[in-house]
Amino acid sequence: MFLRPCPAILVVQALVFSSSRNPTLTLTGSSAAALCRAYAVPEPAPSCRVLGSRGWLLNGRAIRGDKAVDALLLSSAAFAGLSPALRSHIAKESGRLSANRTADAHCEAASRAADAADEAASRMAAADVVHEGICDRVPLVGPDDPTRVHFDVAHDAEGCFVTDQGKNNCYDYATDILTNTFAQPGRGSGVCRKTARPCVPNTCDAVRKAAESDGLVWHGNALPDALPAAGHYVSLHIWPQSNFHWLRMDADKFWSHKPGGSPVRNVDNSGRLINDPARADVSPWSNHCGYMLALPSNLTLY
């Protein structure tokens, strides 16, 4: 047990979403005490996933592949309040790794790096860290020149997609605009109130129209085979009844993405570089909606 004494209230984050902040499960009293007693595995099992369920985050520590913890959380009243699609996906992935903690051992290095970044972002959020520097001067807008759009997290947006990882999501990164608001399509252009999340229903048509309201331009369903004259291409994906996800095409014509508050990645769930988003393993975002053109200087995000 790493929580001593055990708090009366435990808030557990399910590491799963991309467009929205991750759902949380609140346990109190005997349920919290049972979770404190159950936690026994010191290190999370490796996971090859960059999108979808990557376990739990509790008190700034990642938990994955712990049968006892999974059993308690999956049977909790808080978990029962999540959508059926979300419960099914989390339960399936939790069961896969708790049944065989070494199933994704070949991804251990990348998995540990992602866990460390998630844990650091969680601690910063809990401490309500304010940098009072470049990363707070939002919106921080990326270049319109497509040859300057790179998978380079140390320098993209002045490194703020790392520094403020937990405040920006897939839409922020895909458009190359740091907002620190977990931006939602349509919210910046007034389609919904500034506190709405999501802003519109989670369908290809609704999210596309909201993004168009923000200034993005529909390109079509065909994979872009060249850089645009200005701006860069983005790809929209939908997890039915759950969540949306965006990827962006970089200057080398490969694609990168930022799964929610987690680190920026340039591979899919199978560890492959992405040269065709429609064929990439971004499950459970199973619906590929098509491509849009993002000209950062012409967009309004919030």
Side-chain angles (χ1 to χ4, degrees):
M1 183 174 76
F2 75 97
L3 293 173
R4 296 179 180 175
C6 185
I9 300 175
L10 288 177
V11 179
V12 183
Q13 184 181 152
L15 296 170
V16 63
F17 276 162
S18 178
S19 59
S20 304
R21 296 193 186 277
N22 287 317
T24 56
L25 312 180
T26 301
L27 283 70
T28 61
S30 60
S31 296
L35 182 57
C36 285
R37 290 194 301 270
Y39 181 79
V41 180
E43 296 293 338
S47 172
C48 291
R49 277 196 170 273
V50 299
L51 275 170
S53 180
R54 295 192 64 257
W56 318 95
L57 199 61
L58 172 60
N59 202 39
R61 291 190 64 174
I63 302 174
R64 192 170 47 248
D66 187 320
K67 288 184 179 180
V69 169
D70 287 343
L72 278 169
L73 294 175
L74 297 178
S75 63
S76 68
F79 185 77
L82 303 180
S83 72
L86 186 54
R87 294 199 309 269
S88 175
H89 171 67
I90 293 175
K92 181 178 180 180
E93 187 64 10
S94 296
R96 181 180 76 87
L97 290 178
S98 63
N100 181 3
R101 285 180 49 83
T102 61
D104 289 0
H106 55 293
C107 296
E108 183 167 3
S111 182
R112 286 189 183 278
D115 287 339
D118 283 336
E119 291 171 351
S122 174
R123 289 191 294 270
M124 290 178 67
D128 196 22
V129 173
V130 177
H131 303 293
E132 297 183 352
I134 186 67
C135 297
D136 293 313
R137 300 170 193 170
V138 292
L140 194 57
V141 180
D144 287 343
D145 181 353
T147 66
R148 294 176 56 203
V149 180
H150 302 288
F151 172 66
D152 181 10
V153 293
H155 300 98
D156 189 9
E158 306 293 337
C160 296
F161 284 120
V162 177
T163 306
D164 280 341
Q165 173 186 305
K167 298 179 182 179
N168 296 277
N169 63 3
C170 60
Y171 191 46
D172 291 296
Y173 178 77
T175 55
D176 207 4
I177 298 179
L178 187 96
T179 67
N180 290 345
T181 66
F182 243 65
Q184 300 292 299
R187 201 165 61 182
S189 52
V191 172
C192 63
R193 66 187 186 278
K194 291 292 180 70
T195 56
R197 186 183 291 115
C199 180
V200 296
N202 189 60
T203 66
C204 284
D205 187 57
V207 177
R208 168 190 165 179
K209 288 179 179 177
E212 288 176 326
S213 178
D214 288 346
L216 280 83
V217 178
W218 178 246
H219 176 74
N221 296 111
L223 175 69
D225 58 4
L227 298 181
H232 60 273
Y233 293 113
V234 296
S235 180
L236 173 60
H237 303 251
I238 294 290
W239 175 0
Q241 302 176 342
S242 295
N243 217 231
F244 61 76
H245 186 58
W246 296 85
L247 297 88
R248 80 177 191 202
M249 189 170 85
D250 297 317
D252 61 1
K253 299 180 188 176
F254 282 90
W255 297 73
S256 56
H257 57 135
K258 185 179 186 300
S262 290
V264 174
R265 307 297 288 270
N266 68 338
V267 296
D268 65 9
N269 282 330
S270 297
R272 295 187 295 256
L273 293 173
I274 303 168
N275 59 12
D276 183 350
R279 296 177 179 275
D281 179 3
V282 294
S283 62
W285 283 261
S286 57
N287 291 356
H288 179 233
C289 307
Y291 302 96
M292 303 187 77
L293 177 67
L295 186 69
S297 66
N298 197 43
L299 304 183
T300 306
L301 265 66
Y302 188 85

